[in-house]
Amino acid sequence: MKVYKTSEIKNVALIGGAKSGKTTLAESMLFEGKVIDRKGCVDDKNTASDYHDIEMQKQNSVHSTLLYTEYDGKKINIIDTPGFSDYVGETVAALSVVETALLLANATGGVDATTENAWRQTVKFNSPVLFVANQLDHEKANFDEIVRQLKSNFGDKVTVAQYPVNAGEDFDSIIDLILVKMLKFPKGGGAPEVLDIPESEKAKADELSLALIENAAEGSDELMEKYFENDTLSLDEMREGIRLGMRTRAIFPIFCTAAKSDIGVTRLLDFINHSCPAPTGRPRKATNGTEFKCNSEDPMALAVFKTSVEPHMGEVSYFKVYGGVVTEGDDVINTRNGNKERLSQLMVVAGKKRDKVSSVNAGDIASAIKLKDTKTEDTLVDPKISDVDFGPIGFPEPIITTAVKAAESTDDEKMGSILNDMHKIDNTIIVEHSRELRQIILKGQGDLHLNTIKWYFDNVHKIDLEYYEPKIPYRETITKSARAYYRHKKQSGGSGQFGEVHLFIQPYSENMPKPTDFPVRGVDEHEMPWGGKLVFHNCIVGGAIDARFMPAILKGLMERMERGPLTGSYARDIAVYVYDGKMHPVDSNEISFKLAGRHAFSSAFKNAKPKIMEPVYDLSIRVPEEMMGAAMTDIQGRRAMIMGMEADGHYQVINAKVPLAEMHRYATSLSSITSGRGTFTMTYDDYQQVPSDVQDQLLKAYEEAQEEED
Ligand SMILES: Nc1nc2c(ncn2[C@@H]2O[C@H](COP(=O)(O)OP(=O)(O)OP(=O)(O)O)[C@@H](O)[C@H]2O)c(=O)[nH]1
Ligand SMILES: [Mg+2]
């Protein structure tokens, strides 16, 4: 396989609306570059990009796919990403390495929630964007409407660079405002005939040209001056203006295609070659501040942005080279752990098709297999620059959480290890083994994401997975002081057990007045791993309890702090004063005092007006303004406290505090209330006391569960 020079490489990602035709466009791009000799079709399950079983079965993309094509002697790497927002991790990883996002919008539908989601990701990455209005050969295609929607959603910098002359079933001609020509495509697509703009289109073309030239000129001051001088720009100036403008997100040109019938595709490839930013034009900064400009003379540095597991190959790591040249057999350093890695098998990838390559230059994207210990987001470098790291990709926070178990408990262990493997190939799948909740918690990007995980368990691993509601990490504490004592006594032949503990407890806070009637001889302050404190005071006088039993008493209390007396949740913020007790000369031992301490603590706790605290989150919801009422009603039904609202374009942002207990599967509800357009973030704020009716329910539920266990 040919080794391409940096100057011969462009990298783009196909992102955007679900089912808008990204995979189909990729197929035509590969076909035009002769990387494949037959054009497949998503409906026939034979495309280069959607080659995984799940994708063929569902007929939509699930994983991103690295592909490439060759056009005019240049290599264009293409990452085809899935459109459904649940797979946003794939889009994010792709945007972290490409220079341009081709954002597809379906000209028959319009800007939907998935299109908006893709756009939001480009904002985060500050990515240059080229819009592609696709499916213009569809009888329902409406170009003017899609342009109106793109501008209304994404602003005035969205600029028509091409428009269709005859959108609809007979679609074959495009007016290209950059070339100032009409492109007429033959039946079956391919290379167009380049014609003068017909008289009938001149007025419209002139009007749209003006807007394009003005926006392109804004790409640089120099061009702006030229434009004022000459009232127009030459083809080269226009290209330069668009290239510079795209780089700074000053212009987002719209192109036209019918990907399925291969119309507009060659011109799009041509434009990518001539005008889209080059790898050298989008440097990447390492965390130590060094900027990598995709210069092959620099020491080698690459970033791994994706990992997959392929039959007969095992783990495949996909990377972009930001400096130097990667050569087969190179020994490099993984800067996450300082370990050596050998890059033994380098491959250029077009979906399933992989060709060995001897080296990969700066700016290019390729893959390596069987790396020892390298993951997505790792940086591999020349040992000379082992302090360079490209840092995290910035995957989104999870928005859906469920508890998970295998239907057959014998499969639990296997399930855990498969989930961990799944996280490796999709960083937005998060698995936590919660000791506190005694549950395995799975987090992801929505229902479809969870269903995809289940699909793999059903179809590949043959394990029946069950999702169920995660427990809430409640906390228990007390609101007033109380005393209690407990005598643990057991006589069963031989040596017995005896220990008696008297204690006083009170809520702990920094400024809590301390009781004056106990002579404090020692204080142990314990930060609980789950937050809050236990402050243990030894107030024993006259040897009522031997000093050597105090640690056992503390241990007894700690056990109860870990499984609180009310609901078995963690307890916090309690001060304990152990002030009296009794021993037996023979029968007293550590076990007896541990049990006496634990029981005394439990009964004091229950008399100290205990309360249950629940985690409360800061919730920020962004919804289209017309859906605000519905979103508000919904969260008010979730015990939310509204903190404020503000407008953000056509959207409203609602900020509120909500108890976690009310937010199970909120992503699903918000999505159904807002047809997928609403988004939200949730961050932990604090613990707050639950209302008394909720506390009663929790106590009852815990009692019932205990009885069941007994
Ligand atoms: N008429 C027409 N149909 C198209 C065109 N492009 C794609 N399609 C059809 O639209 C459907 C979706 O196409 P895909 O290529 O899978 O779309 P996608 O954007 O990759 O979808 P996801 O990856 O699932 O988001 C398929 O049935 C395609 O055959 C087009 O230009 N014209
Ligand atoms: Mg697709």
Side-chain angles (χ1 to χ4, degrees), residues 22-23 50 60-61 80-81:
K22 299 175 292 298
T23 299
D50 282 358
N60 60 253
S61 305
D80 176 31
T81 69

